[in-house]
């Protein structure tokens, strides 16, 4: 039973510079995220990778009146991971139905159940984008009673102000901030 899990949020090609919905300098954290994955693997932690996994006609896309350009469509290169996801990692696909949006890795998925089955009590969150899916995932983890850490040098936000606000909100809600080297 692993008591801790690393949750890698949405490290996918479309969220990187050159992708359909890029997080500025999102690629800069790739080495750090890979380092975190290696560290947690060595510790025997559960590694979870969430991904946006949208159908072609997803409700969040502009052509359906949503806020985003088409991104992370199932089985396309844009939806591929850009970090080294270990073979034994748990991959959580979210927002997979046409009419449902999900920012959090817990929303409409079996993530909570999987963590509990594995005896996980503490989660560490990294990935993109800080203000959206990282924040939503960490907030849900807190609500569900997990001790929650955000790895501050392995996340990237859309803009520095938004990222700062998101981290403040997370801290207020009980999340702890940590750097990769202190893991
Ligand atoms: Zn999406």
């Amino acid at each position: 039973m692993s008591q801790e899990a690393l949750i890698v949020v949405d490290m996918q090609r479309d969220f990187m510079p050159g992708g359909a919905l890029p997080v500025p300098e999102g690629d800069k954290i790739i080495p750090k995220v890979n380092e975190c994955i290696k560290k947690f693997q060595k510790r025997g932690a559960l590694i979870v990778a969430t991904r946006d996994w949208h159908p072609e006609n997803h409700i969040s896309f502009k052509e359906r009146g949503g806020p985003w350009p088409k991104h992370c469509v199932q089985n396309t290169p844009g939806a591929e991971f850009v970090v080294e996801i270990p073979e034994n990692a748990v991959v959580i696909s979210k927002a997979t139905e046409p009419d449902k949006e999900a920012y959090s890795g817990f929303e409409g998925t079996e993530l909570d159940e999987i963590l509990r089955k594995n005896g996980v009590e503490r989660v560490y969150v990294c990935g993109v984008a800080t203000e959206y899916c990282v924040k939503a995932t960490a907030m849900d983890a807190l609500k569900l009673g997990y001790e929650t850490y955000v790895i501050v040098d392995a996340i990237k936000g859309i803009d520095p102000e938004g990222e700062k606000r998101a981290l403040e909100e997370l801290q207020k809600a009980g999340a702890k901030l940590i750097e990769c080297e202190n893991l």
Side-chain angles (χ1 to χ4, degrees), residues 6-114:
L6 173 69
I7 305 177
V8 179
V9 176
D10 297 6
M11 287 300 287
Q12 294 167 272
R13 197 166 305 285
D14 270 345
F15 293 129
M16 299 292 127
L21 183 49
V23 176
E25 301 192 331
D27 53 335
K28 293 260 170 77
I29 63 166
I30 291 174
K32 219 30 134 180
V33 172
N34 281 330
E35 195 185 321
C36 292
I37 291 171
K38 281 200 190 96
K39 275 194 181 188
F40 277 96
Q41 245 207 326
K42 250 185 218 162
R43 279 151 67 149
L46 184 73
I47 312 287
V48 176
T50 72
R51 63 181 179 186
D52 250 10
W53 197 246
H54 298 317
E56 191 68 49
N57 58 342
H58 192 247
I59 192 166
S60 75
F61 297 164
K62 277 187 177 143
E63 57 208 71
R64 283 203 55 199
W68 310 119
K70 190 182 267 197
H71 65 278
C72 297
V73 173
Q74 297 167 8
N75 301 306
T76 63
E80 284 168 12
F81 288 120
V82 294
V83 291
E84 292 151 32
I85 305 297
E87 264 177 38
N88 61 355
V90 174
V91 173
I92 297 287
S93 302
K94 61 187 170 67
T96 59
E97 290 171 48
D99 297 332
K100 278 189 194 149
E101 173 64 310
Y103 288 155
S104 164
F106 289 95
E107 210 177 326
T109 72
E110 295 184 330
L111 180 52
D112 182 40
E113 199 186 326
I114 291 166

Side-chain angles (χ1 to χ4, degrees), residues 72-175:
C72 297
V73 173
Q74 297 167 8
N75 301 306
T76 63
E80 284 168 12
F81 288 120
V82 294
V83 291
E84 292 151 32
I85 305 297
E87 264 177 38
N88 61 355
V90 174
V91 173
I92 297 287
S93 302
K94 61 187 170 67
T96 59
E97 290 171 48
D99 297 332
K100 278 189 194 149
E101 173 64 310
Y103 288 155
S104 164
F106 289 95
E107 210 177 326
T109 72
E110 295 184 330
L111 180 52
D112 182 40
E113 199 186 326
I114 291 166
L115 294 179
R116 289 190 199 284
K117 257 191 216 155
N118 281 276
V120 171
E121 292 170 355
R122 187 164 60 245
V123 301
Y124 296 81
V125 183
C126 64
V128 294
T130 310
E131 307 94 309
Y132 294 97
C133 296
V134 169
K135 179 181 152 191
T137 301
M139 281 294 190
D140 275 352
L142 286 162
K143 273 181 216 148
L144 291 163
Y146 296 97
E147 188 183 357
T148 304
Y149 287 81
V150 177
I151 308 171
V152 288
D153 51 348
I155 54 173
K156 204 75 187 175
I158 307 281
D159 82 283
E161 270 307 305
E163 181 159 53
K164 203 177 138 219
R165 269 198 307 276
L167 288 178
E168 282 167 4
E169 278 177 57
L170 280 164
Q171 275 185 293
K172 252 184 218 156

